[in-house]
Amino acid sequence: MEEFNKDYETFIFDFEKAEQEQLEYLRLYRQMTQSQEECVKNQKHLSYLFKRIRKDQKSLEETNLNDEEKKILTEKKASIDQYTSKLAEMRRELPIRENGFYLSTILGSNLNISLLNPDERYKYKKEYESFKLSVTFVILAVFILAYILPPFRIIDAICNFLLVWYYCTLTIRESILRLNGSRIKGWWVLHHYISCVLCGVTLTWRDGECYDQIRHAFQGYCSYRLFDIYLHKDCSREWQVMVLAIMFAIIFIGNSVTLG
């Protein structure tokens, strides 16, 4: 009984301490939220003033200024450029107010996807790269298995479903990274959107002679073969042939331009 009473008293003491710390945490959190709101308002105000200054600057550049005025304007312009980068850095450390159409549709507009410090952004980017590498190995293993085994449409469907999930996930993660300042090239984002649709279209393609002819082809050759079988084979009734031909052509051209 003595040990029970001792443990009980310890629990009550620790609970009251934890409760006080929880209340302090909530107080600081509310205070931080209010500070964030004030900082966001300041950003909006500064952005408004910045636009006005830029507009006035352009107007002054079109007028006849004397040498002294031109010198002052040049100095002010250099100063404005410095403040531009500072404002951008300050903005990255504040919560993102607009998730964009794509993320708002998928995740909702009220979800906070802000990565407020460089460490968080780096960790998320690192996790994104790790995800790509890990899933790529899994997809590669599944495709090798599908290639080794006799051609079953169900295995191909699993492969394409896996690719649809993979590319959809990539587009979500990339959208979050881009909103948080990551400089992912626009082509790769578009590439993944197209690939997602492409795999989805392939997933709907029924098994048959036309599907079998394109099963082992890739990108440029794949696009050529799809156009070829659309024009010369009895495949014009299968809409997937033309859609996939166009998408493979876009991906082939985009990759060639971006990597070239």
Side-chain angles (χ1 to χ4, degrees), residues 60-61 65 69-77:
L60 287 171
E61 287 175 348
L65 300 175
E69 289 173 333
K70 287 181 180 179
K71 182 180 178 182
I72 294 173
L73 185 61
T74 302
E75 292 175 353
K76 298 289 185 184
K77 185 178 179 180

Side-chain angles (χ1 to χ4, degrees), residues 16-145:
E16 290 177 351
K17 181 181 178 182
E19 188 177 30
Q20 291 299 320
E21 290 178 351
Q22 180 82 4
L23 292 172
E24 179 65 13
Y25 156 73
L26 292 174
R27 186 187 69 80
L28 292 173
Y29 179 77
R30 294 189 191 98
Q31 184 178 343
M32 183 196 71
T33 304
Q34 291 175 355
S35 297
Q36 283 182 342
E37 293 292 336
E38 289 298 321
C39 289
V40 169
K41 290 179 182 178
N42 291 337
Q43 279 287 326
K44 289 181 178 179
H45 178 65
L46 290 171
S47 296
Y48 168 74
L49 291 177
F50 180 75
K51 289 179 181 178
R52 284 183 54 183
I53 291 172
R54 282 293 193 191
K55 185 178 180 181
D56 293 341
Q57 174 192 325
K58 290 181 179 179
S59 299
L60 287 171
E61 287 175 348
E62 295 173 357
T63 59
N64 295 323
L65 300 175
N66 58 44
D67 293 340
E68 183 65 25
E69 289 173 333
K70 287 181 180 179
K71 182 180 178 182
I72 294 173
L73 185 61
T74 302
E75 292 175 353
K76 298 289 185 184
K77 185 178 179 180
S79 176
I80 289 170
D81 291 338
Q82 291 179 355
Y83 282 111
T84 302
S85 59
K86 289 181 180 179
L87 277 172
E89 184 64 30
M90 290 166 62
R91 196 176 296 114
R92 280 195 293 269
E93 293 172 348
L94 290 172
I96 298 169
R97 293 295 169 177
E98 296 291 337
N99 289 348
F101 175 77
Y102 182 63
L103 289 178
S104 295
T105 303
I106 295 175
L107 304 177
S109 58
N110 294 326
L111 182 65
N112 185 3
I113 58 170
S114 304
L115 305 172
L116 297 181
N117 61 67
D119 289 338
E120 288 181 348
R121 291 192 286 270
Y122 173 75
K123 287 178 181 178
Y124 192 81
K125 182 68 181 294
K126 188 177 179 181
E127 184 185 348
Y128 159 78
E129 297 293 346
S130 177
F131 168 80
K132 284 200 302 182
L133 184 63
S134 302
V135 177
T136 298
F137 281 126
V138 173
I139 292 173
L140 185 61
V142 174
F143 268 83
I144 291 173
L145 183 65

